[in-house]
Amino acid sequence: MLPWNEILLRLLLAALLGGLVGLERERKNWAAGLRTHMMVCLGAALIMIVSSFGFSDILGTENINLDPSRVAAQVVSGIGFIGAGAILFRKTAGTVRGITTAAGLWTVAAIGLATGGGMYFAGFITTVLAVLILWALPAMERKYLRMFKMRTLFIVLAPKTNISSIIKLLEDQVNNPMLDINMYKRQRELFLEIQFDKGDVKKLAEAVKSIEEMDEVKRIYWN
């Protein structure tokens, strides 16, 4: 059986490492924050300890065969239930949010398993890398993707509006190629959705200003 001081060390270290990842999520005010990440990591560490040493009293008993990884393996699939709860679909915006938090919880569970199994270095390095990925990479990612990101213009119009004049204005004033044009109705409004490739942002802004002055236009905004 594992000594009590070693059990204490592993559980405290798991709570600490999970808390470090949770702090980054707490900083952005996500639902799964400091306490959630600490609890997941701590629980995973305890399950690993139980899986590895909890059945030592019956080892050697006739007709008893134990797989030390069997209980711990259920954490990998079981954490998916918590991760699924962290993923939210925003119907109004048509976007899915929380996938990174769910991935973070899954990683924290792995950190807990590693720490509970005595693999301190692996757990510590994974924690450092996870914090760097969650904290440092978003700014670099936004800067990099901004060079390739497409822009979508939403125009809310009065019903029965002739959209040909708007399309012609955009074609004449903007060099950015229009990749896709969609039109649909909701209640008593006509929605025009135009997707542009990256290009001259200044000319796009000037064209949008001209469109805003049209009487048929109710609202106009970028996504």
Side-chain angles (χ1 to χ4, degrees), residues 21 37 40-41 44 73 75-83 99-113 126:
V21 179
H37 284 77
V40 168
C41 197
V75 175
V76 179
S77 56
I79 195 63
F81 289 98
I82 300 177
I99 296 179
T100 303
T101 299
L105 289 171
W106 185 74
T107 303
V108 163
I111 293 171
L113 291 175
T126 304

Side-chain angles (χ1 to χ4, degrees), residues 29-60:
N29 201 28
W30 285 101
L34 175 64
R35 291 181 297 170
T36 303
H37 284 77
M38 289 181 72
M39 290 295 292
V40 168
C41 197
L42 179 63
L46 178 59
I47 291 172
M48 189 64 182
I49 293 172
V50 171
S51 183
S52 300
F53 306 100
F55 309 102
S56 58
D57 57 332
I58 61 172
L59 286 176

Side-chain angles (χ1 to χ4, degrees), residues 84-103:
I87 299 174
L88 301 173
F89 175 70
R90 299 178 62 187
K91 188 175 181 180
T92 53
T95 58
V96 177
R97 304 197 61 181
I99 296 179
T100 303
T101 299

Side-chain angles (χ1 to χ4, degrees), residues 3 5 33 39-40 65 81 86 91 124 139 150 159 164 167 173 199 206 215-216 218:
N5 56 340
M39 290 295 292
V40 168
N65 294 315
F81 289 98
K91 188 175 181 180
F124 176 74
M150 294 179 293
S164 58
I167 301 299
Q173 294 190 15
E206 292 175 354
D215 295 333
E216 300 89 349
K218 294 183 177 182

Side-chain angles (χ1 to χ4, degrees), residues 7-20:
I7 294 175
L8 179 63
L9 173 63
R10 295 187 184 191
L11 294 178
L12 287 176
L13 185 58
L16 174 63
L17 296 179
L20 291 176

Side-chain angles (χ1 to χ4, degrees), residues 143-209:
K143 185 176 180 180
Y144 177 76
L145 293 179
R146 195 177 293 121
M147 298 185 295
F148 307 98
K149 189 176 182 180
M150 294 179 293
R151 299 171 63 85
T152 303
L153 181 66
F154 290 91
I155 307 174
V156 184
L157 304 163
K160 299 182 180 180
T161 300
N162 186 356
I163 66 169
S164 58
S165 58
I166 296 176
I167 301 299
K168 188 176 186 307
L169 186 148
L170 290 170
E171 289 177 344
D172 293 341
Q173 294 190 15
V174 180
N175 294 330
N176 304 51
M178 288 181 280
L179 302 179
D180 191 21
I181 301 176
N182 293 312
M183 184 178 67
Y184 51 92
K185 289 184 178 180
R186 286 182 184 173
Q187 296 178 350
R188 297 183 178 180
E189 293 179 328
L190 181 66
F191 286 78
L192 183 61
E193 181 181 329
I194 307 173
Q195 192 176 73
F196 294 91
D197 194 4
K198 63 183 182 66
D200 195 332
V201 178
K202 185 177 179 180
K203 288 188 176 181
L204 271 175
E206 292 175 354
V208 168
K209 188 175 180 180

